[in-house]
Amino acid sequence: MTKENIGEKIRISARRIGAIFSSTALGWIRTGPALFFTFIYPIVMILLFGYIFGAAPDDSMYTLYYLNEDTYQVDDQLYSNNPALLLLQNLGLENETLSDELNLRLVDANFSTAILSPENWTKENDVPYLLLIPSGWSAAVNESKTNVTAPKANIEFYYDPSYTSYFEIQSLVDNVLQELNLNEFGIPTLIAIETTTTPERQSLDYIDFYVPGIIMVTISTAGMMGLVGMATEERQTGFIFKLAATPIKKWEWATAHLFWQAVMGLMVAVLTVLTGWIAFDFNMTTIHPLMIPILIFGSMTFGGLGLIIARFVKRPEAAMAATMSFVFPQMFLSGALFPPETLPEYLQIIAKFFPLYYISEAMRSVMLESTFSNVWVPLGVTIAMGIVFFILGSILTVWRKE
Amino acid sequence: MDETNDKPKKQNAFAIEIGLIFKRLGAYITAALIDFRRSPLTIFFTVAYPIILILLFGAIFSNENLSSDPYVLYLQSGVDEGYEISPTQRLNFTDDFITILEEMERNDSTSIFDVNNIPLKDEQNKPIDAGQYLEEVEGYIAIVIPENFTQELLFNSPINLAVIMDENSQQANIALKILDNVIYSFNLGVAGYNDTQIGMESTNIFLEEDIEYFEFLIPGIIGVAIMNNGVIGTINRYTYFDKKGFFRKLSSSPMKKGEVVLGEASWTFLQGLISIIAILLVGWLVFKIGDRDFKWIIDVLDWKIIPITISAVLNFTGLGMIGSRLIKNPDSATAAGNFLTFPMMFLSGAFFEVAHIPVISIVSKMLPLTYIVDAYRASMITINTSVAWFNIGISFAFGIVIFTIGILITKLSER
Amino acid sequence: MKEEYAIVIKNLVKKYDDLIAVNDISFKIKIGEIFAFLGPNGAGKTTTVEILEGIRKKTSGQAFVLGLNIDKRKDLEKIKKIIGTLPQEFNTHENLTVKENLRFWSRMYAYSLPVDDLIALVKLEEKTKAKFKNLSGGLKKRLGIAISLVNDPELVFLDEPTTGLDPRARRETWEVIEGLKSQGKTVFLTTHYMEEAQVLADTVAIIHKGKIMDIGSPTQLIDRHGGENRIVVRCNDQETRDKIHDLLFNFGPLENEDGDIVISSKKGALSKVVDLLDENEVAYSDIITQRPTLEDVFLSLTGEILIIDEKSVED
């Protein structure tokens, strides 16, 4: 074959790819809802996940109800302090700075245990947790300072286990109690903890780490649904068979669509980053040029997967259902929204079967210099997946009727 | 004669009219049911999707404290010569401390910490910085025990143990709290106190039965399933019927708009019941049969499920009707419906508590799903009658408003 | 060597699970003719066309398009460059205009005709900026025909090009198809309209339940299967009708659905009938002779009447 011939072939292929690409783009621009969703979807996704998972522990504000039945009066006792009051103060009562630091807001429950048991009060008022200082507690604490055999002085903590946050509040109260213990009994503090944040992550928040993950979640969801919808619809209307009777090749058609997916992916990325920056002060310095190939190969992976689903599930609505059953678990298991290490071990193994796992690994690794050396494996996997799924997708696409 | 006959006649006519309404409704629902069997998307949203949700979230969050996996703790300790208190006894606090960490267990005898050693020096004999090491292995928490910890602690206290952690990691924060406790007890031990005088007693307010995470989840999934059916199903069907002229055809029959809407709503209700049964069966099979808890599925059935489901149907078919007026194109109906329901699923505390999350906690109060899920939860799981009725009341208030708007803006024909 | 035949089919079979859609058919189509595949819905017309276009798998048999074997991948690629197709249910980008759609399809080919010429050919000049989804059924079909011509094909497959069109639009489409023939193109047409086949086709193949019943020019087919010419006597009232019946008793009169009397026209019958009626001063309104049509051919070949019911076609 002569050189000119090859050049001519490439030109004709490019012309066909360009035609599919530009007609898809034109169609997209002219469909109101499609345009609207493309712009609004990434914004909603980043706001949603940014707030839900991005609410770092120090942004939370828990409400702790307390009931102080202790009527200890400093005046008529031997000791000059009131442990019950001290405890509440150490938990941030009437001290906004401390309250903000502990993420705890104390609210007086204001009922009498003589009338209603604490369990029932908590149930009836749908309250997650209640701290009860029983009457005589302060006196008991003070007595035990002189009397070694005095019984232990306990406060009571009631919780509704359906509120998963009870555990955090319980340990918080526990810590404050321990401090009180040390202070009240004059135990020397021999060991203390001095916490520092990992050096490079100091200025970074959740959002900085998960903007790339959220971008990929959006791209995988929107991209797969879009492509599956398109492919099944083109088959239903017969458009694809009309196309099949022209000289266009399957790979040209697939390339055009994946190219379009990549463009949409970049658009989603820009929108997400901008929204993240405006709403959550996303740290733009973490953006790295390597993210662009990751984005492109990621889009190819999901595009290819979409074509594969469309090949096997022919009815558009069934295909949509199949796509959702894949996309949804992937979103949560792949570590794009929260670190996969949080998951039970067997789920961590399942997570590795989802393409998004490697893509978000790669995205996160490129952000920091210290983890940059880890990028090559997930990046390699991402590129390989992009190519393999693209080829599989275009081979498996069937243009012939049975 | 005429006068006496008039009344029964009227009653008769009224009875016939009612009979006809039921006949039309019956026909409408039967058609929807047949359609359902043949429509994979609705079957998916009614049965398969909620099951995926239970299994997914059940697996992710099922164990208490989020995970039964040990917290991965990186530890770097300097050489500790220890301190000889007698020829036969030698104190070594570093070893003691590490042993305590390694041997700590949860109630179900899984370890709390997975302790990994950070070497002091690398191959080129350069000292390794624990913080940098932590980042390279992508760990979230590390603790550094200083050289000659034993002697330092005995003669040079107080001592600071450096903890390096990723502030954004939830696990790191929990692990830190546990470390805090360990160090506190260690402190007491070294200072010669065995026990403390002040303590805390924790009481689960549902003592008779410990609520597992999946039980928290089930009412949430039921709410989400009904929402998806209601919103996406209604948008799909209404836009499709509108485009295909089915509604115009209906409007030229004696069937009234109210009956069409009632037919649609009854159908969504029926689907909701199918979802509830499917969800409860799966939850029971997966999470309870193993523990030989056969009674569970009976215990969760409460008659209040019916009014709650009705209020949910009012809310979500209403939303669906509003959505179908805005979308009109059946092709984008599923996407549009998803777009509406997807954020609500997360904002309403269906899968995890949102009351302490800023912004979200406020948004959640404006969404009907929050109240519906709370009502289901209070009726089925926590058995809390007053909370249940409070939430049912709010759900109905939302539902009636949304449903009325839905009816008002729905048009069978362009008239 | 110049090919004499545009299409050669030998023993073509297409089976679905338990249904034989195309049952061992063989025929040839000459270059430059209009070939009509005539038969009711479900007879196997579209299946055959799609096999020839390379978009449906055949079960067995052989087919050559412009001398190229559809079983060979290389040949199939060549075929796709030189044929044009109009699918039965033609759809293209909904939100693109007539001109944009034509441009889209023309880019699928290495060489294509100027878009404006095609628009002029199907008389869509006033609609160039209309979106496809806003076109009427007739205009959509016309755009479809224009698209099937973008690559200046040697062979055009038109699958039911006039189904669902009103009579005027149908006639306009016929003109376009006849124009194709004058340009020397071979046209493979499928239709279930007798009239269409009769007006347009050089060769007609009648297909029924996957079998070809007969093949030939319309005249040949009528001569073979249409039976004799008929004399139709038209009258307006029952009294006259009964009278004619009695008078023409020896000719074996029949009554058609319009209430006309029909007898077969043997040699010299016409003058006899006229004389007989005139002698008896019968007030008939008209007397005509009719040649049998393809309708009659179809009836005699299959024992069935080709139902032309727009409603059932649409569904």
Side-chain angles (χ1 to χ4, degrees):
Chain A
M1 202 173 277
T2 62
K3 258 189 184 168
E4 260 171 67
N5 240 333
I6 293 171
E8 182 64 8
K9 273 198 164 179
I10 292 173
R11 191 188 69 81
I12 294 167
S13 275
R15 200 163 102 116
R16 287 198 278 253
I17 293 170
I20 301 255
F21 180 86
S22 54
S23 66
T24 312
L26 257 180
W28 172 76
I29 289 169
R30 289 185 190 159
T31 335
L35 202 65
F36 173 74
F37 285 127
T38 317
F39 285 118
I40 211 80
Y41 189 63
I43 295 176
V44 169
M45 291 290 269
I46 176 101
L47 290 178
L48 181 66
F49 289 118
Y51 274 120
I52 289 180
F53 296 107
D58 42 303
D59 291 333
S60 307
M61 191 46 102
Y62 298 96
T63 304
L64 174 63
Y65 284 83
Y66 72 93
L67 183 65
N68 186 2
E69 294 206 318
D70 189 58
T71 48
Y72 187 83
Q73 295 294 319
V74 177
D75 302 350
D76 43 80
Q77 304 284 338
L78 279 166
Y79 299 96
S80 59
N81 60 355
N82 181 340
L85 219 58
L86 257 175
L87 174 66
L88 292 175
Q89 276 161 1
N90 288 353
L91 282 169
L93 187 70
E94 285 161 7
N95 181 346
E96 229 169 273
T97 340
L98 183 61
S99 161
D100 282 348
E101 206 175 292
L102 296 172
N103 307 319
L104 201 65
R105 196 162 57 92
L106 287 185
V107 176
D108 192 350
N110 210 359
F111 71 98
S112 163
T113 49
I115 299 163
L116 197 59
S117 78
E119 284 97 333
N120 281 340
W121 183 86
T122 316
K123 268 191 213 176
E124 278 176 23
N125 290 284
D126 199 15
V127 158
Y129 12 74
L130 169 73
L131 182 72
L132 176 70
I133 303 175
S135 84
W137 183 72
S138 294
V141 170
N142 283 335
E143 197 199 323
S144 62
K145 288 176 186 167
T146 47
N147 181 359
V148 193
T149 55
K152 211 170 167 180
N154 281 344
I155 55 165
E156 291 161 27
F157 182 75
Y158 296 89
Y159 65 91
D160 177 342
S162 67
Y163 287 84
T164 39
S165 56
Y166 83 87
F167 177 77
E168 284 171 278
I169 301 307
Q170 194 182 322
S171 29
L172 199 146
V173 175
D174 231 8
N175 281 342
V176 172
L177 268 183
Q178 288 169 2
E179 230 173 89
L180 197 69
N181 239 334
L182 295 177
N183 291 339
E184 286 293 288
F185 294 91
I187 304 167
T189 311
L190 300 175
I191 323 171
I193 287 187
E194 192 186 68
T195 46
T196 44
T197 306
T198 36
E200 276 205 58
R201 302 193 180 198
Q202 255 160 11
S203 56
L204 300 181
D205 289 328
Y206 164 89
I207 202 74
D208 299 321
F209 286 101
Y210 290 97
V211 158
I214 294 170
I215 291 174
M216 287 318 301
V217 163
T218 314
I219 289 177
S220 66
T221 319
M224 275 182 75
M225 290 219 186
L227 210 54
V228 167
M230 185 277 305
T232 46
E233 202 192 303
E234 283 195 353
R235 183 158 42 205
Q236 273 217 329
T237 59
F239 178 84
I240 200 81
F241 299 112
K242 163 81 190 160
L243 207 56
T246 74
I248 191 172
K249 314 260 186 330
K250 277 192 289 183
W251 70 264
E252 292 167 345
W253 174 81
T255 306
H257 280 296
L258 294 182
F259 193 40
W260 172 243
Q261 289 300 322
V263 169
M264 295 282 274
L266 286 171
M267 216 139 56
V268 164
V270 169
L271 270 173
T272 310
V273 163
L274 280 179
T275 317
W277 179 59
I278 293 166
F280 305 107
D281 206 11
F282 170 66
N283 189 339
M284 296 275 211
T285 57
T286 54
I287 294 173
H288 190 278
L290 255 186
M291 286 180 172
I292 292 172
I294 298 174
L295 218 65
I296 290 172
F297 283 100
S299 302
M300 278 170 72
T301 307
F302 295 114
L305 269 173
L307 293 181
I308 294 170
I309 290 184
R311 158 72 178 83
F312 293 105
V313 191
K314 302 222 162 105
R315 284 178 59 177
E317 38 168 35
M320 208 54 97
T323 313
M324 288 202 56
S325 354
F326 173 80
V327 160
F328 206 79
Q330 168 175 268
M331 191 182 299
F332 291 97
L333 295 182
S334 61
L337 298 177
F338 46 79
E341 299 88 53
T342 336
L343 300 170
E345 215 158 301
Y346 72 98
L347 283 182
Q348 291 188 32
I349 295 165
I350 296 176
K352 295 196 171 118
F353 286 96
F354 289 106
L356 188 55
Y357 176 85
Y358 302 95
I359 298 168
S360 61
E361 260 315 284
M363 277 279 197
R364 261 187 301 155
S365 305
V366 297
M367 294 178 71
L368 294 181
E369 234 175 88
S370 60
T371 52
F372 193 78
S373 55
N374 298 346
V375 76
W376 304 112
V377 173
L379 181 67
V381 175
T382 303
I383 292 173
M385 282 190 310
I387 294 167
V388 167
F389 281 116
F390 166 69
I391 293 174
L392 268 182
S394 43
I395 289 178
L396 283 174
T397 300
V398 172
W399 277 4
R400 256 195 199 196
K401 297 180 180 176
E402 273 308 309
Chain B
M1 273 291 275
D2 280 340
E3 268 180 17
T4 47
N5 261 350
D6 206 35
K7 217 178 163 191
K9 237 188 204 167
K10 257 189 186 165
Q11 268 180 354
N12 219 353
F14 185 67
I16 288 171
E17 183 55 35
I18 293 283
L20 278 174
I21 288 176
F22 272 100
K23 193 175 149 188
R24 292 196 286 257
L25 270 182
Y28 199 92
I29 296 168
T30 319
L33 190 69
I34 295 167
D35 195 41
F36 168 71
R37 284 212 329 254
R38 298 183 182 149
S39 159
L41 192 70
T42 20
I43 294 183
F44 173 76
F45 276 122
T46 316
V47 184
Y49 193 54
I51 291 174
I52 291 176
L53 290 180
I54 302 184
L55 296 179
L56 180 69
F57 286 104
I60 294 180
F61 299 116
S62 69
N63 293 301
E64 280 184 3
N65 315 342
L66 286 175
S67 159
S68 70
D69 280 358
Y71 297 103
V72 183
L73 174 69
Y74 287 87
L75 184 142
Q76 190 180 44
S77 60
V79 180
D80 190 354
E81 289 172 359
Y83 179 70
E84 200 179 271
I85 40 174
S86 72
T88 49
Q89 210 186 348
R90 198 177 182 91
L91 284 177
N92 188 325
F93 289 151
T94 308
D95 290 351
D96 292 348
F97 188 69
I98 295 174
T99 314
I100 290 173
L101 290 178
E102 281 174 343
E103 287 179 353
M104 280 180 79
E105 280 180 353
R106 292 199 177 86
N107 294 339
D108 58 353
S109 68
T110 53
S111 329
I112 292 183
F113 284 114
D114 171 11
V115 182
N116 292 276
N117 194 42
I118 303 179
L120 284 169
K121 284 179 177 155
D122 66 9
E123 287 133 14
Q124 280 109 39
N125 224 10
K126 273 190 226 148
I128 291 176
D129 180 80
Q132 267 171 14
Y133 186 89
L134 186 67
E135 270 180 41
E136 273 159 34
V137 295
E138 293 191 60
Y140 45 81
I141 192 162
I143 186 165
V144 180
I145 303 176
E147 208 175 321
N148 275 329
F149 181 50
T150 316
Q151 291 184 21
E152 290 283 313
L153 189 55
L154 288 174
F155 308 116
N156 212 1
S157 64
I159 299 287
N160 275 340
L161 295 184
V163 168
I164 303 141
M165 61 183 278
D166 178 358
E167 275 183 335
N168 297 303
S169 156
Q170 214 177 345
Q171 286 129 298
N173 279 288
I174 300 173
L176 178 68
K177 282 186 183 129
I178 301 171
L179 272 180
D180 242 353
N181 273 316
V182 175
I183 289 166
Y184 168 72
S185 324
F186 202 77
N187 195 95
L188 286 182
V190 174
Y193 291 80
N194 297 326
D195 202 3
T196 47
Q197 287 307 309
I198 314 177
M200 182 163 71
E201 248 171 55
S202 293
T203 315
N204 177 344
I205 58 169
F206 302 105
L207 257 187
E208 56 277 25
E209 40 181 338
D210 211 359
I211 291 178
E212 292 171 43
Y213 171 75
F214 102 89
E215 290 175 279
F216 170 84
L217 185 64
I218 283 215
I221 306 253
I222 290 176
V224 166
I226 295 175
M227 174 179 71
N228 272 326
N229 284 335
V231 176
I232 299 177
T234 305
I235 295 183
N236 258 325
R237 291 166 63 84
Y238 276 51
T239 51
Y240 181 78
F241 287 161
D242 197 45
K243 190 168 186 182
K244 292 283 166 183
F246 182 69
F247 274 164
R248 261 166 313 198
K249 167 85 189 142
L250 270 183
S251 70
S252 65
S253 78
M255 193 126 179
K256 291 173 194 67
K257 183 167 94 178
E259 288 167 23
V260 173
V261 171
L262 201 60
E264 282 291 325
S266 329
W267 165 238
T268 312
F269 177 73
L270 214 66
Q271 258 182 305
L273 295 184
I274 298 172
S275 297
I276 293 177
I277 292 166
I279 292 166
L280 291 180
L281 272 178
V282 169
W284 183 56
L285 285 173
V286 175
F287 297 101
K288 283 289 178 184
I289 288 284
D291 303 340
R292 310 202 160 273
D293 187 351
F294 302 114
K295 219 166 66 66
W296 181 83
I297 195 154
I298 306 293
D299 291 342
V300 293
L301 290 178
D302 183 281
W303 71 271
K304 288 195 287 303
I305 289 176
I306 304 290
I308 302 169
T309 309
I310 292 174
S311 80
V313 166
L314 289 181
N315 274 295
F316 300 129
T317 46
L319 262 182
M321 286 191 278
I322 296 171
S324 61
R325 285 306 293 173
L326 297 177
I327 298 302
K328 293 192 177 138
N329 181 7
D331 295 336
S332 42
T334 308
N338 251 310
F339 180 76
L340 268 178
T341 57
F342 189 82
M344 281 208 270
M345 195 148 74
F346 293 97
L347 294 173
S348 303
F351 306 137
F352 34 73
E353 205 191 318
V354 293
H356 60 276
I357 305 176
V359 183
I360 304 266
S361 58
I362 301 161
V363 177
S364 79
K365 293 215 165 64
M366 297 187 277
L367 302 175
L369 182 61
T370 308
Y371 302 97
I372 291 163
V373 169
D374 280 349
Y376 276 124
R377 201 169 280 149
S379 320
M380 300 167 71
I381 308 295
T382 56
I383 319 296
N384 202 334
T385 319
S386 56
V387 173
W389 282 113
F390 174 73
N391 283 298
I392 293 173
I394 297 180
S395 309
F396 266 104
F398 264 105
I400 289 164
V401 172
I402 296 175
F403 195 68
T404 313
I405 297 173
I407 292 183
L408 289 179
I409 68 168
T410 295
K411 281 183 187 144
L412 293 191
S413 57
E414 295 302 327
R415 191 158 41 91
Chain C
M1 192 191 82
K2 185 103 177 88
E3 279 294 328
E4 188 186 348
Y5 294 107
I7 286 171
V8 177
I9 293 178
K10 287 179 192 159
N11 307 103
L12 189 70
V13 176
K14 176 67 189 178
K15 276 185 195 156
Y16 299 107
D17 296 329
D18 49 353
L19 175 91
I20 303 174
V22 175
N23 191 355
D24 192 15
I25 62 172
S26 305
F27 62 85
K28 291 175 183 173
I29 299 175
K30 281 198 199 106
I31 296 244
E33 70 174 357
I34 296 183
F35 174 87
F37 219 18
L38 178 68
N41 293 316
K45 303 190 299 277
T46 299
T47 305
T48 310
V49 168
E50 286 178 347
I51 290 171
L52 293 173
E53 290 170 356
I55 58 173
R56 193 182 279 282
K57 284 180 193 154
K58 61 180 170 52
T59 308
S60 65
Q62 274 187 305
F64 297 88
V65 175
L66 296 156
L68 299 160
N69 187 343
I70 63 160
D71 289 335
K72 289 188 187 156
R73 214 173 59 86
K74 282 270 168 207
D75 277 9
L76 194 58
E77 274 178 26
K78 280 185 201 156
I79 292 173
K80 286 180 179 176
K81 288 177 188 167
I82 48 176
I83 61 166
T85 62
L86 171 73
Q88 188 167 6
E89 274 171 43
F90 167 71
N91 274 300
T92 180
H93 293 291
E94 283 216 325
N95 285 312
L96 263 57
T97 63
V98 166
K99 200 165 180 172
E100 285 163 348
N101 264 308
L102 266 167
R103 209 176 287 142
F104 169 79
W105 288 103
S106 69
R107 285 184 187 155
M108 294 299 123
Y109 301 92
Y111 307 100
S112 55
L113 295 173
V115 166
D116 289 328
D117 294 2
L118 291 165
I119 290 173
L121 183 72
V122 294
K123 301 192 183 73
L124 277 171
E125 288 97 334
E126 277 164 29
K127 295 281 181 185
T128 49
K129 287 195 177 136
K131 285 183 194 165
F132 180 74
K133 66 175 174 191
N134 297 330
L135 295 179
S136 69
L139 295 181
K140 279 183 180 171
K141 290 263 178 187
R142 265 202 256 166
L143 174 62
I145 293 175
I147 286 172
S148 71
L149 300 173
V150 283
N151 56 331
D152 196 15
E154 293 169 38
L155 168 64
V156 189
F157 291 95
L158 302 174
D159 198 356
E160 312 238 345
T162 62
T163 299
L165 301 191
D166 62 52
R168 209 187 109 186
R170 184 170 298 157
R171 268 173 212 291
E172 283 173 0
T173 309
W174 289 353
E175 282 171 25
V176 173
I177 296 171
E178 277 170 340
L180 296 180
K181 192 191 167 186
S182 64
Q183 289 178 37
K185 297 187 193 307
T186 313
V187 179
F188 188 130
L189 179 81
T190 77
T191 182
H192 58 255
Y193 297 119
M194 300 293 163
E195 199 192 350
E196 189 162 296
Q198 201 151 4
V199 170
L200 290 174
D202 300 308
T203 308
V204 176
I206 290 176
I207 184 166
H208 185 62
K209 293 181 178 164
K211 276 264 180 208
I212 291 199
M213 309 309 289
D214 200 2
I215 191 162
S217 70
T219 338
Q220 283 169 338
L221 288 177
I222 290 165
D223 285 349
R224 264 181 248 158
H225 310 282
E228 291 144 326
N229 287 1
R230 281 162 300 192
I231 299 167
V232 179
V233 186
R234 293 202 170 133
C235 52
N236 296 330
D237 58 303
Q238 195 59 39
E239 202 184 316
T240 330
R241 200 167 290 138
D242 292 340
K243 210 168 174 183
I244 300 172
H245 250 291
D246 293 340
L247 285 168
L248 301 181
F249 185 75
N250 291 338
F251 295 91
L254 292 167
E255 210 169 295
N256 72 9
E257 64 267 29
D258 297 330
D260 303 328
I261 312 289
V262 180
I263 56 170
S264 73
S265 134
K266 293 194 185 83
K267 214 170 180 190
L270 183 61
S271 57
K272 278 184 199 157
V273 169
V274 174
D275 288 348
L276 204 57
L277 293 178
D278 283 347
E279 275 166 29
N280 292 282
E281 289 174 356
V282 179
Y284 59 87
S285 61
D286 199 1
I287 190 160
I288 52 172
T289 57
Q290 255 182 3
R291 250 182 83 70
T293 60
L294 282 175
E295 183 83 51
D296 302 295
V297 174
F298 191 83
L299 180 65
S300 96
L301 279 173
T302 66
E304 284 175 25
I305 294 170
L306 228 189
I307 298 154
I308 305 169
D309 178 5
E310 283 304 331
K311 193 81 185 108
S312 71
V313 169
E314 291 267 297
D315 292 344

